[in-house]
């Protein structure tokens, strides 16, 4: 049989139950198998017995016939030979020197026309006086990305804030400039707009459609939940104002869209918000947990049992909708399980500070939007061509290979070591992941794999 001496089954094999299915994930290959009782028990016993096949066979022999065990062992052998079971890890080290910026979060406005209670950006200003980007800085940001991206030809820019539509004329001008620079550089820039939707009107809709801009619009779900979390400056609710605007944008048919909600400690029954958003006519949805140290809104360790249970309920909502033949794209479950993440994401996560950067209204560059305002993480300025290599090295060294805890985790290739900002916010250390975020992410991966299995066996 397969020699499993020295093979870390807990790090390379993940077996779990969900919805009556017994599921196996071979971590290194990404292969997923649906197990019967005997194969499931065999894997559990192998883990208990340190990979000893003889001990495992003796235990199985108490309940199963010898020829059944022989057939199972033969099946395991075939999967092993095909690289789908007990696969070995590849080299975990990624040469981050080859990574160049390809995506930019362009914070055109550090100001906002809402007062969301959970806002990590302090109502859009990121802990500083409100500020709006000028056209020269915006143009420099576009030029910086085109130059810093090296040989990369497909780039991304997200108009972000605060609320970016507070400077809509700037957005129009930047888009015109960027399209001209695309022609001159031979590169393509894909644009997205992240907005609270309050200022969406027909002019904005036409601009989004004409320029093939993807849109991410915020709505937290049920009216009472949205208005609790996302009030206007005067304290009034925002639901009745933003819902028609979002519906009008979606009806216009943008190149892509997501309606993005946030769940907090105030709505741990967030599966109901997913259902509400779907019933409102939206089929591209995201529900993000509020994370961080804010004990009023952010998910805390003692909230995890309720949150993980709710993810199971949310998964059943998604399963019912899919079974009915209706289409629903849920962002966190879009894992592309047949192909898996690209190598860079498998080993280094989102690429903050290396492939992804954020720019403030003043032109300062940070590793990502969640580090904005922290002076120790200023990478540079759009008026200069160089980034702070010292800070980049810190992020390069926080890849998977340098996170011992992550190397033992079955979910490591789906997150590349997790969110740098969550790790730093929780531990003041880029290399130590945030356990709260990890627990939620692992649950989502299990749910996504379960849904994929349901699709395959229907």
């Amino acid at each position: 049989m397969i020699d499993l001496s020295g093979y870390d089954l807990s790090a390379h094999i993940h077996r779990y139950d969900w919805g009556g299915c017994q599921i196996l994930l071979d971590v290194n290959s990404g292969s997923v198998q649906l197990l019967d009782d005997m194969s499931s028990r065999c894997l559990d016993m192998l883990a208990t017995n340190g990979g000893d096949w003889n001990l495992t066979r003796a235990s199985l022999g108490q309940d199963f016939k010898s020829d059944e065990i022989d057939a199972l062992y033969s099946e395991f052998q075939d999967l092993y030979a095909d690289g789908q079971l007990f696969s070995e890890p590849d080299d975990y080290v990624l040469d981050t020197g080859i990574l160049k910026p390809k995506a930019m979060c362009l914070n055109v406005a550090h100001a906002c026309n809402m007062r969301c209670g959970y806002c990590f950006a302090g109502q859009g200003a990121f802990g500083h006086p409100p500020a709006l980007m000028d056209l020269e800085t915006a143009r420099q940001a576009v030029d910086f990305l085109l130059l810093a991206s090296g040989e990369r030809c497909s780039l991304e820019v997200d108009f972000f804030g605060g609320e970016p539509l507070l400077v809509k004329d700037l957005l129009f001008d930047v888009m015109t400039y960027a399209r001209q620079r695309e022609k001159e550089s031979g590169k393509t820039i894909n644009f997205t707009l992240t907005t609270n939707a309050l200022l969406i009107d027909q002019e904005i809709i036409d601009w989004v459609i004409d320029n093939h801009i993807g849109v991410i619009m915020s709505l937290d779900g049920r009216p009472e939940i949205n208005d609790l979390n996302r009030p206007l400056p005067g304290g009034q609710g925002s639901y009745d104002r933003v819902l028609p605007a979002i519906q009008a944008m979606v009806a216009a048919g943008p190149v892509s869209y997501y309606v993005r909600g946030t769940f907090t400690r105030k709505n741990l029954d967030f599966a109901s918000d997913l259902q509400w958003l779907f019933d409102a006519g939206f089929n591209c949805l995201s529900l993000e947990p509020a994370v961080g140290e804010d004990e009023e809104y952010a998910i805390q360790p003692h909230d995890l049992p309720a949150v993980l249970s709710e993810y199971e309920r949310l998964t059943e909502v998604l399963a019912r909708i899919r079974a009915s033949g209706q289409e629903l794209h849920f962002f966190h479950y879009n894992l592309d399980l047949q192909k898996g993440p690209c190598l860079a994401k498998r080993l280094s996560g989102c690429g903050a500070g290396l492939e992804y950067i954020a720019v403030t209204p003043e032109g300062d560059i940070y590793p990502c939007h969640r580090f904005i305002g922290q002076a120790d993480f200023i990478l540079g300025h759009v008026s200069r061509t160089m980034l702070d290599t010292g800070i980049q090295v810190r992020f390069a060294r926080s890849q998977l290979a340098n996170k011992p805890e992550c190397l033992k985790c079955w979910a490591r290739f789906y997150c590349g070591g997790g969110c740098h900002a969550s790790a730093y916010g929780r531990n003041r250390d880029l290399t130590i992941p945030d356990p709260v975020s990890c627990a939620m992410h692992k649950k989502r991966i299990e749910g996504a794999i379960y849904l994929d299995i349901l699709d395959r066996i229907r």
Side-chain angles (χ1 to χ4, degrees):
M1 276 306 293
I2 307 155
D3 182 9
L4 294 179
S5 58
Y7 189 80
D8 191 340
L9 284 159
S10 65
H12 302 317
I13 297 291
H14 181 56
R15 202 206 69 72
Y16 68 101
D17 300 330
W18 193 309
C21 295
Q22 300 178 80
I23 300 168
L24 164 70
L25 168 68
D26 184 75
V27 175
N28 298 307
S29 69
S31 174
V32 174
Q33 308 292 332
L34 189 59
L35 306 174
D36 58 18
D37 286 340
M38 182 169 66
S39 57
S40 180
R41 285 179 60 184
C42 181
L43 288 165
D44 288 347
M45 290 175 184
L46 279 171
T48 300
N49 297 328
D52 189 310
W53 290 98
N54 292 325
L55 284 176
T56 298
R57 185 182 186 96
S59 299
L60 287 174
Q62 299 175 23
D63 298 299
F64 300 98
K65 297 177 181 178
S66 180
D67 60 340
E68 292 176 325
I69 300 173
D70 287 342
L72 175 63
Y73 277 22
S74 178
E75 184 178 354
F76 278 1
Q77 187 74 49
D78 290 342
L79 288 169
Y80 174 73
D82 198 36
Q84 297 185 64
L85 186 61
F86 307 125
S87 59
E88 296 288 344
D90 294 325
D91 187 355
Y92 287 118
V93 178
L94 174 69
D95 179 7
T96 55
I98 66 174
L99 302 181
K100 303 292 183 183
K102 67 174 182 178
M104 172 182 288
C105 182
L106 192 59
N107 284 31
V108 293
H110 278 184
C112 191
N113 48 358
M114 276 192 181
R115 294 296 180 267
C116 304
Y118 52 67
C119 181
F120 71 87
Q123 282 67 56
F126 292 85
H128 293 278
L132 304 177
M133 186 174 285
D134 59 43
L135 182 57
E136 179 60 25
T137 302
R139 288 177 172 177
Q140 287 179 332
V142 171
D143 289 340
F144 180 91
L145 181 61
L146 290 169
L147 179 63
S149 56
E151 299 300 315
R152 291 184 179 274
C153 292
S154 182
L155 309 176
E156 302 168 17
V157 171
D158 181 26
F159 293 124
F160 200 79
E163 173 48 47
L165 291 182
L166 289 172
V167 289
K168 68 176 184 177
D169 290 338
L170 171 72
L171 301 187
F172 299 163
D173 290 340
V174 172
M175 182 64 67
T176 300
Y177 180 75
R179 294 308 186 203
Q180 180 59 40
R181 292 290 288 118
E182 282 181 314
K183 297 175 183 177
E184 296 168 355
S185 66
K187 299 189 177 188
T188 300
I189 304 176
N190 297 305
F191 285 89
T192 54
L193 168 69
T194 297
T195 175
N196 63 30
L198 274 177
L199 297 178
I200 290 177
D201 56 19
Q202 193 58 50
E203 183 182 27
I204 294 298
I205 293 173
D206 292 342
W207 174 70
V208 164
I209 300 302
D210 291 345
N211 288 279
H212 308 289
I213 300 169
V215 283
I216 302 165
M217 299 166 286
S218 296
L219 182 66
D220 281 358
R222 293 162 289 176
E224 63 272 21
I225 295 300
N226 183 84
D227 290 349
L228 176 68
N229 291 335
R230 303 183 61 80
L232 301 174
Q236 311 96 318
S238 59
Y239 182 91
D240 290 338
R241 286 187 55 181
V242 301
L243 178 64
I246 295 174
Q247 289 173 326
M249 179 66 81
V250 171
V255 63
S256 68
Y257 85 88
Y258 270 96
V259 175
R260 182 195 186 282
T262 298
F263 70 85
T264 76
R265 303 188 68 213
K266 297 175 184 282
N267 63 308
L268 295 180
D269 58 342
F270 52 88
S272 298
D273 295 297
L274 177 79
Q275 183 70 62
W276 185 279
L277 291 168
F278 180 73
D279 291 341
F282 308 123
N283 65 4
C284 294
L285 300 174
S286 170
L287 276 179
E288 311 285 338
V291 295
E293 301 176 8
D294 179 2
E295 294 191 2
E296 182 178 2
Y297 289 95
I299 305 302
Q300 301 300 312
H302 54 271
D303 297 317
L304 282 176
V307 171
L308 301 186
S309 177
E310 188 66 6
Y311 269 122
E312 294 182 7
R313 192 166 79 92
L314 179 146
T315 303
E316 293 306 316
V317 171
L318 292 171
R320 287 197 303 270
I321 291 171
R322 288 191 182 189
S324 72
Q326 300 177 87
E327 188 176 13
L328 173 55
H329 302 280
F330 184 59
F331 178 77
H332 277 303
Y333 281 29
N334 292 344
L335 298 180
D336 195 3
L337 293 168
Q338 305 309 314
K339 296 180 180 179
C342 67
L343 177 63
K345 187 166 185 178
R346 280 166 62 91
L347 299 183
S348 66
C350 67
L354 302 171
E355 293 189 301
Y356 175 74
I357 55 176
V359 177
T360 70
E362 297 82 10
D364 291 324
I365 301 173
Y366 286 84
C368 90
H369 56 287
R370 287 185 59 190
F371 282 99
I372 287 177
Q374 300 186 56
D376 291 344
F377 287 97
I378 297 178
L379 277 167
H381 191 273
V382 294
S383 63
R384 301 187 292 271
T385 58
M386 298 297 294
L387 294 175
D388 186 319
T389 55
I391 295 176
Q392 286 193 297
V393 165
R394 291 179 64 185
F395 281 84
R397 288 176 177 169
S398 68
Q399 63 177 285
L400 194 61
N402 297 322
K403 296 181 177 180
E405 183 177 345
C406 294
L407 291 177
K408 296 290 185 180
C409 175
W410 65 265
R412 57 189 177 271
F413 294 135
Y414 292 97
C415 68
C419 173
H420 300 300
S422 292
Y424 191 79
R426 182 76 65 175
N427 305 303
R428 289 298 181 265
D429 190 327
L430 294 174
T431 66
I432 303 176
D434 170 24
V436 174
S437 296
C438 289
M440 291 188 287
H441 192 54
K442 286 189 281 190
K443 194 69 173 181
R444 292 191 294 260
I445 295 168
E446 290 183 335
I449 292 172
Y450 167 69
L451 285 182
D452 185 67
I453 288 175
L454 291 186
D455 288 343
R456 285 192 276 163
I457 64 179
R458 281 196 186 108

